[in-house]
Amino acid sequence: MVSGSSAVGQPFRAASLRRVKIAGLSTFVPPKLLTNDDLETLVDTTNEWILQRTGIQQRHIVDPGTATSDLAKEAALGAMRQAGVTPEQIGFIVVGTTTPDTIFPSTACVLQTKIGANNAWGFDLGAACSGFTYALTTGMQMVASGAHDHALVVGADVMSSIIDYKDRTTCVLFGDGAGAVVLSPAAEDEAGIIDFAHEIDGTGGPALCMPAGGSRMPASHETVDQRLHYVKQDGQAVFKFAVRKTEEIARRILNRNGIDPSELDLFVSHQANRRIITAAADRLGLPPEKVIINLQMYGNTTAATIPLALADAIREGRLKRGDLVLLASVGAGFTVGSVLLRWAL
Ligand code: UT7
């Protein structure tokens, strides 16, 4: 087996692609809760409105000073433990995040040091709520090509660091969390990742963004005064796009693999709004027992929602080895992602 081209050793020569499986999964959320009742004291909202329009009951929120890499570390250590892989065996790290610890160095670098992955290289990946599906696809290529035997794929966000707790249209939606998987080679006849399909559509940029803090509008007293370092969203535009595209990308990846939606064992969508997930699932003809919804406990944790949903599905006995699973995400950008796999754990 190739041990990784970034380490001192033999040069990398791509061979035929290897099948890749998720060999370990772990998640972490900070203990502190922000409930709908808490939000009623911060903005003009009600528990009933939030529940009815989103399905969210509570979110986990970090204490000040806790960063994305702190959450990612806990998830990464758990995923490596389950995979039976040491930090030194990880050749590649990709962190899907919209809330890196700092713009630079990357959270992947911070995480690499925190977990002692001394033979790994890696980077952060910006795809907002599609951070996990995109990172999974990226990590998969590293293992499939033979470049590395073990890749660490993380989706982690501290959304509370960029949420305006004076804006009722966004502050009720988001929470903090992290999920990580270890990817390893699978035997030809073993379960693993089957296919991926992704899209971006930059015309959707203004519908969901953080206007300031980048090169277009660097931080200044004015940008802070104007509250431009927070998430801004046209909720209805994102909602409509998310429902349409979740169905579309799901059908595309299923069709080209000759799979009817009814053959899926579990549909794991990005968790932004209960109504988006149920609308997309209805259009696909999927019954509720094949759809995981756990946003009531976490809100929208951006790149962490899909691993959190997978972990809860396992805990609830709804995801078992050999199950056919479809992951789907829509996020800022717009980004659209899907990964089809047979569960290997
Ligand atoms: O992960 C990808 C990122 N995000 C998403 O996928 C989110 C997509 N969008 C959504 O989930 C929904 O659009 C929201 C949950 C954000 C909003 O739900 P909506 O049913 O689209 O509500 P709306 O924006 O049409 O607002 C309806 C009303 C408005 O009042 P008026 O103009 O009818 O008087 C809002 O001002 O609800 C009001 N409103 C609220 N009321 C109480 C908006 N936010 C709140 C709130 N509490 N927190």
Side-chain angles (χ1 to χ4, degrees), residues 44-46 49-50 53-54 129 168-169 172-174 208 233 235-236 238-239 242 270 272-273 275-276 300 330-331:
D44 180 17
T45 192
T46 60
W49 190 96
I50 302 171
R53 301 292 181 119
T54 73
C129 296
R168 70 174 184 175
T169 67
V172 301
L173 304 174
F174 294 92
L208 182 50
Q233 175 172 246
Q236 287 199 4
V238 179
F239 188 102
H270 168 58
N273 186 318
R275 290 184 295 137
I276 293 176
N300 180 351
V330 173

Side-chain angles (χ1 to χ4, degrees), residues 196-257:
F196 63 89
H198 302 308
E199 284 176 21
I200 58 172
D201 177 358
T203 63
L208 182 50
C209 62
M210 187 174 98
S215 55
R216 174 79 57 208
M217 203 188 291
S220 67
H221 286 293
E222 287 71 32
T223 62
V224 173
D225 289 345
Q226 291 167 32
R227 308 184 81 75
L228 296 176
H229 297 271
Y230 293 121
V231 171
K232 310 288 178 194
Q233 175 172 246
D234 174 349
Q236 287 199 4
V238 179
F239 188 102
K240 286 179 196 150
F241 184 84
V243 172
R244 177 165 64 83
K245 277 295 175 179
T246 303
E247 183 200 5
E248 230 177 82
I249 201 83
R251 286 205 186 278
R252 175 137 71 88
I253 195 168
L254 291 174
N255 283 346
R256 74 188 192 193
N257 285 279

Side-chain angles (χ1 to χ4, degrees), residues 91-154:
F92 176 70
I93 300 171
V94 56
V95 180
T97 187
T98 303
T99 52
D101 290 24
T102 50
I103 289 184
F104 70 90
S106 72
T107 303
C109 290
V110 179
L111 181 63
Q112 179 257 348
T113 298
K114 281 188 171 166
I115 63 175
N118 299 325
N119 297 311
W121 70 289
F123 49 80
D124 293 355
L125 184 153
C129 296
S130 294
F132 185 76
T133 53
Y134 283 25
L136 187 61
T137 299
T138 306
M140 173 196 154
Q141 305 309 318
M142 295 296 171
V143 178
S145 66
H148 298 289
D149 278 344
H150 305 288
L152 178 65
V153 172
V154 180

